[in-house]
Amino acid sequence: MTDLVLSGGTLVLEDRAEVGTIVVRDGRIAEVGASAQGGTGATRIDCTGSYVLPGLIDFHVHIDDRIGPFALADTWATGSAAALPSGVTSLVAFATQRHDGSASVVEAVDAALARARGRSRCDYALHVTPTLWDDEAWRSLEILAARGHKTVKLYTTYAEAGLLAEAAIVERVLRRAAELDLVVLLHCEDDAALRRAAADPALDWSDARTHTGARPPEAELRAVETAIALCRETGGRLHIVHVSTPAAARLIRKAATALPVSCETCPQYLALDESKLAGPDGFCYLCSPPLRSPGMRAEMLELARSGAFDLIATDHCAFSRADKAVGAGRDVRETPSGLAGMGALAPLCRELLLDDPADERALCGFARMLSTAPAKLAGLFPKKGSLRVGADADIVVARLDAAPEPIRSTIVDAHEPYAGWRSRWRADRVYLRGALAARDGKIVPGGPLGEPGWAV
């Protein structure tokens, strides 16, 4: 194949942003910088006025699976088709073992990979989620770590769904994960605190706002405190997902100065607040952890802008409009909890985090949180997540000052949480392993299909 030369754009590198050139050869980045030229007969693209970033990675998505009685609205095909044109070139989803023991952890992972293979437009990886901690589960961690999987997910609640991991299990997993070079992802809401809050007889379960009272900030903070203590005791690597409260974020940042602990937040905790639950469509905004107060949302946004979070991921968990309406006006506990967000990651973060596109620090922070950091946590770096020589040529050529367009989180028939939001982000060209995969907001017909991010 002839070289692909992207010249004249502002390259967003790990430590700086500068005008330069990238040469792609055989699907990988071969040259980077002002002196990069490419070979004779190269395909040359003028990127003047655009920003050239590493392909973005949504580190936390729920697709092509079931949660309780509900099928998720997005498959690998539809989810990736919503994500790729916006600049997301890799997705990290979940392979959750059924609590009934009908399949082993390894079988659950293999089934999830089979659903993605030949259907995903983005490259992909998986977070492993055992639910039955028997001898087979511990052997599965060894097998999957040897295959290249790098993360295991636990929950500190959802006992009724068979997901609750008591502190003793979290401790044991942290210790074993450290030996296997795995990162433990933890959903932090203290189950006992949630049960106490939900037992309040004053709660009106027909009102969507009750969801916030039943899942108070204190439940997140208490679970984070316990998680940090276990991290300190075991030395295991801990990543706390979807942080929704400023107090928890600050506690994690303080702990991270001495412990191997990191965290993420989601766009919904930076852009939306609990007032969304008050309207007639309030049930559409149910997610867990819930949307917080306007004051907390403003604090979370300031923390994100200051670099308090290692990464931002969507926790995309879209349900059909019909399924999302279950329980509406009657009992919100019957309504599936989760929001769409995959296609909104880059457009929304551009509006939230990049007041001035010329701000080099903010640009590099944007790329770090949406590409480099998730690649490192998922075990994909430096193959993914940077514009380094030798990396996969997952590249986004984007404008940050395009005519504002509506944000669209998903292409399926699901509620749009960011209706009314518009963004100046536009991914003009998206390359996946050096091949043009999307252009001007549309999938390229006959373009590349996604592959696993590691050998499996």
Side-chain angles (χ1 to χ4, degrees):
M1 295 177 65
T2 59
D3 290 351
L4 169 67
V5 179
L6 306 174
S7 61
T10 299
L11 310 183
V12 183
L13 307 174
E14 293 164 64
D15 59 350
R16 66 192 185 282
E18 62 183 26
V19 174
T21 296
I22 290 183
V23 177
V24 175
R25 186 174 301 136
D26 297 328
R28 294 181 179 271
I29 295 174
E31 301 176 48
V32 178
S35 62
Q37 296 292 325
T40 302
T43 299
R44 299 181 182 275
I45 306 294
D46 183 5
C47 301
T48 301
S50 297
Y51 293 83
V52 182
L53 302 97
L56 308 182
I57 300 172
D58 197 340
F59 184 76
H60 188 147
V61 301
H62 298 271
I63 52 178
D64 222 327
D65 204 352
R66 298 188 68 87
I67 296 182
F70 302 101
L72 292 167
D74 271 303
T75 64
W76 279 100
T78 62
S80 62
L84 184 67
S86 70
V88 174
T89 54
S90 291
L91 300 171
V92 193
F94 294 83
T96 302
Q97 179 190 28
R98 298 299 176 202
H99 188 58
D100 61 9
S102 57
S104 69
V105 180
V106 172
E107 288 170 336
V109 169
D110 287 343
L113 288 171
R115 291 193 294 271
R117 191 173 297 116
R119 297 178 179 88
S120 179
R121 290 287 184 171
C122 301
D123 281 356
Y124 49 90
L126 295 172
H127 303 302
V128 178
T129 308
T131 59
L132 300 173
W133 288 100
D134 52 16
D135 290 344
E136 182 278 327
W138 298 105
R139 288 193 298 271
S140 291
L141 289 188
E142 296 176 7
I143 293 168
L144 295 169
R147 286 189 186 182
H149 293 270
K150 289 296 183 182
T151 53
V152 56
K153 171 77 177 291
L154 301 177
Y155 297 77
T156 63
T157 186
Y158 299 131
E160 67 283 357
L163 294 172
L164 172 64
E166 302 284 0
I169 288 293
V170 177
E171 177 186 356
R172 187 177 174 189
V173 174
L174 278 166
R175 291 188 188 280
R176 187 65 181 123
E179 297 169 349
L180 296 172
D181 193 29
L182 297 172
V183 180
V184 177
L185 276 59
L186 195 61
H187 173 124
C188 282
E189 289 181 289
D190 183 78
D191 192 65
L194 293 181
R195 290 183 182 280
R196 286 194 297 272
D200 183 350
L203 293 179
D204 177 5
W205 292 104
S206 68
D207 188 337
R209 290 172 292 185
T210 293
H211 189 63
T212 62
R215 307 187 90 94
E218 294 75 18
E220 178 173 278
L221 185 60
R222 179 164 296 182
V224 167
E225 290 171 339
T226 300
I228 289 172
L230 293 173
C231 180
R232 181 177 294 110
E233 182 178 341
T234 63
R237 294 173 61 197
L238 175 67
H239 179 73
I240 297 174
V241 300
H242 51 49
V243 175
S244 68
T245 62
R250 293 190 178 98
L251 184 62
I252 296 164
R253 282 276 59 85
K254 181 179 179 181
T257 61
L259 297 173
V261 58
S262 58
C263 69
E264 70 189 50
T265 192
C266 308
Q268 56 264 36
Y269 303 121
L270 309 180
L272 307 175
D273 63 58
E274 63 188 11
S275 65
K276 289 290 186 181
L277 301 173
D281 62 348
F283 61 92
C284 296
Y285 291 92
L286 294 175
C287 59
S288 299
L291 302 178
R292 302 299 185 183
S293 70
M296 284 190 178
R297 183 210 61 79
E299 284 187 69
M300 288 289 288
L301 181 56
E302 287 306 309
L303 285 167
R305 289 182 169 188
S306 70
F309 301 102
D310 295 273
L311 63 94
I312 296 176
T314 63
D315 192 10
H316 178 93
C317 190
F319 295 93
S320 71
R321 291 179 183 273
D323 284 348
K324 197 68 174 175
V326 172
R330 183 178 67 254
D331 190 333
V332 295
R333 290 171 293 187
E334 299 174 9
T335 301
S337 187
L339 303 179
M342 206 181 312
L345 179 62
L348 197 57
C349 285
R350 184 269 175 259
E351 300 306 317
L352 294 169
L353 305 177
L354 295 177
D355 287 338
D356 179 7
D359 184 339
E360 184 177 70
R361 179 179 174 274
L363 271 174
C364 291
F366 180 96
R368 173 183 61 81
M369 288 190 288
L370 272 62
S371 185
T372 308
K376 289 180 177 179
L377 274 170
L380 304 176
F381 187 85
K383 183 181 179 183
K384 308 285 188 185
S386 80
L387 297 179
R388 293 184 180 189
V389 171
D392 280 357
D394 297 348
I395 299 172
V396 184
V397 180
R399 285 180 290 154
L400 304 183
D401 57 356
E405 294 183 357
I407 288 176
R408 191 176 184 186
S409 296
T410 179
I411 62 174
V412 299
D413 185 29
H415 178 70
E416 174 55 68
Y418 306 106
W421 281 77
R422 301 174 74 85
S423 177
R424 291 160 287 179
W425 169 273
R426 183 174 177 85
D428 289 334
R429 290 173 174 266
V430 182
Y431 295 91
L432 181 62
R433 288 172 273 109
L436 186 63
R439 185 171 184 179
D440 299 331
K442 296 180 180 179
I443 298 287
V444 172
L449 291 174
E451 297 180 353
W454 54 71
V456 293

